[in-house]
Amino acid sequence: MKQWLTNNFWLKMISLILAVVTWFYISGELAKRPSSYYPRPPNMPKP
Amino acid sequence: MISELLKFWQPVLEIIILWYVFYHLLVFIKGTPAVQVLKGLIFLIILFLISLFIAQKLNLTIISWILPKFFAVFLLSFLIIFQPELRRGLAQLGQGPIMGLFFREERIIDEVVDAVYSLAEKKIGAIIALEREIGLKPYIESGVSVDSKVNSELINTIFMPHTPLHDGGIVIQGGRIIAAGCLFPLTQNPKISKGLGTRHRAAVGLTDETDALVVIVSEETGIVSLAREGKLIREVDRETLNKVLNNALMQSKRPKFSFKKLTRMKTK
């Protein structure tokens, strides 16, 4: 386990930072959008 | 507490998946010219993000509209710039653990058999141990680390006389030549013929202690022998060697080749 962690440690850390940043960025972008899970009622005006 | 934690399983799983993809991408391009290009790209991405932030803060609507469009084109250019790496990556995927699972062991066996009979033809002594369930770590440590793909030419080169590694044995572990010049324990079995040399004794010695399969090429006669479970089979032909290695290493569903039967057949 320790060997697995220390092997390419910095690459693992950079990947983790990239993964967290990407996740937060995309989730932030998705939060801006209106939800596509529920269809808009036909009479409702477009946002 | 646990139910609170379980609420976050989706983001955690998504971050783990993203981490895995990023990590393998970085490992893949590490040490290639693509690293320099990637550094340039990261610089441009940072520049883009800063510009976008400033444009939005200063309410520069046209610039704020243009920048994301440029970014989309930029992503397309990523595919073009990294085209050789992407091609190489897809090729590696084809040879990787999923696709390669079915063909790798067979290829390894073919390489070993080719090397063995090429060495036998030239009467060059060789000893090749193939690790199975029991690890060969202590013997690997006695040699020189190689960690290379199994390749007939490489095996031939290792056993070339007057080269530093030709006297020891090579160990094949997990489909790779892990070490060369390894020292194996000599057998104490009195039944082993006195006429056999150290190489054969070492092969039997290793199979006395482990479940490894050892292929030996005699330096004097060029005869190929096979050691397994503390027994030595002399004059193994190409087809038999292929069959035994296939059965032992591929663990296929085919009926198992009986080593005892082969022993009986040879001793008759």
Side-chain angles (χ1 to χ4, degrees):
Chain A
M1 183 68 184
K2 193 187 169 189
Q3 200 189 357
W4 180 86
L5 269 176
T6 51
N7 184 27
N8 279 340
F9 177 76
W10 284 109
L11 278 189
K12 282 180 181 130
M13 284 311 288
I14 292 167
S15 315
L16 184 66
I17 293 164
L18 276 173
V20 173
V21 168
T22 310
W23 190 88
F24 275 103
Y25 175 75
I26 294 170
S27 60
E29 286 294 310
L30 290 175
K32 284 180 197 169
R33 286 189 191 175
S35 173
S36 57
Y37 287 107
Y38 308 104
R40 201 173 37 249
N43 294 334
M44 197 175 170
K46 283 184 181 177
Chain B
M1 175 69 181
I2 292 169
S3 63
E4 284 292 312
L5 281 174
L6 282 174
K7 274 183 194 169
F8 298 107
W9 74 269
Q10 282 163 319
V12 169
L13 180 67
E14 282 173 333
I15 288 172
I16 290 170
I17 293 168
L18 283 171
W19 170 81
Y20 183 82
V21 172
F22 283 132
Y23 175 65
H24 283 276
L25 274 175
L26 290 177
V27 167
F28 179 68
I29 62 163
K30 187 184 168 192
T32 67
V35 175
Q36 300 305 321
V37 182
L38 192 74
K39 280 179 187 169
L41 282 177
I42 290 169
F43 173 74
L44 281 177
I45 290 170
I46 292 168
L47 198 70
F48 160 78
L49 290 172
I50 293 169
S51 313
L52 192 66
F53 178 76
I54 293 169
Q56 281 173 350
K57 283 284 162 201
L58 299 176
N59 226 1
L60 306 173
T61 45
I62 303 296
I63 302 296
S64 302
W65 185 86
I66 288 173
L67 278 173
K69 303 286 180 282
F70 267 126
F71 193 66
V73 177
F74 180 70
L75 280 179
L76 190 70
S77 70
F78 181 87
L79 293 175
I80 299 162
I81 294 165
F82 286 102
Q83 189 246 355
E85 279 72 24
L86 289 169
R87 188 187 285 183
R88 195 161 58 90
L90 288 172
Q92 271 191 15
L93 202 67
Q95 298 164 354
I98 302 161
M99 298 299 284
L101 191 71
F102 305 102
F103 306 107
R104 202 183 60 164
E105 293 290 359
E106 212 161 335
R107 191 193 61 77
I108 292 163
I109 292 164
D110 286 345
E111 292 286 337
V112 171
V113 173
D114 281 350
V116 162
Y117 283 93
S118 157
L119 289 163
E121 214 170 90
K122 292 176 264 183
K123 289 191 180 174
I124 295 173
I127 175 164
I128 303 166
L130 294 107
E131 188 191 77
R132 294 179 70 215
E133 297 296 318
I134 301 171
L136 301 178
K137 204 179 170 209
Y139 312 108
I140 291 169
E141 282 170 356
S142 69
V144 175
S145 174
V146 176
D147 196 16
S148 157
K149 275 184 178 177
V150 177
N151 183 295
S152 162
E153 283 80 14
L154 179 63
I155 297 174
N156 267 281
T157 310
I158 288 171
F159 290 112
M160 273 297 149
H162 315 298
T163 56
L165 300 176
H166 87 282
D167 255 346
I170 68 172
V171 175
I172 295 175
Q173 180 193 62
R176 293 182 73 79
I177 300 175
I178 290 295
C182 302
L183 303 173
F184 301 143
L186 298 180
T187 184
Q188 302 300 320
N189 189 345
K191 286 179 187 170
I192 296 293
S193 163
K194 294 275 186 292
L196 292 172
T198 318
R199 196 169 276 127
H200 290 83
R201 293 187 164 273
V204 179
L206 185 68
T207 59
D208 277 338
E209 292 178 18
T210 68
D211 65 346
L213 225 74
V214 186
V215 185
I216 317 107
V217 180
S218 167
E219 206 170 331
E220 284 82 31
T221 58
I223 286 173
V224 176
S225 309
L226 183 69
R228 186 181 166 182
E229 296 161 12
K231 295 186 185 88
L232 186 75
I233 309 299
R234 302 270 292 153
E235 295 180 51
V236 180
D237 60 54
R238 200 185 175 100
E239 200 189 328
T240 312
L241 182 66
N242 219 316
K243 219 174 189 177
V244 177
L245 295 182
N246 262 301
N247 275 297
L249 298 176
M250 288 182 79
Q251 294 169 346
S252 64
K253 287 176 183 170
R254 284 175 288 171
K256 287 214 167 182
F257 185 86
S258 166
F259 198 75
K260 277 180 187 163
K261 207 194 272 177
L262 178 71
T263 317
R264 248 181 276 137
M265 203 167 78
K266 291 278 173 189
T267 46
K268 265 180 192 174

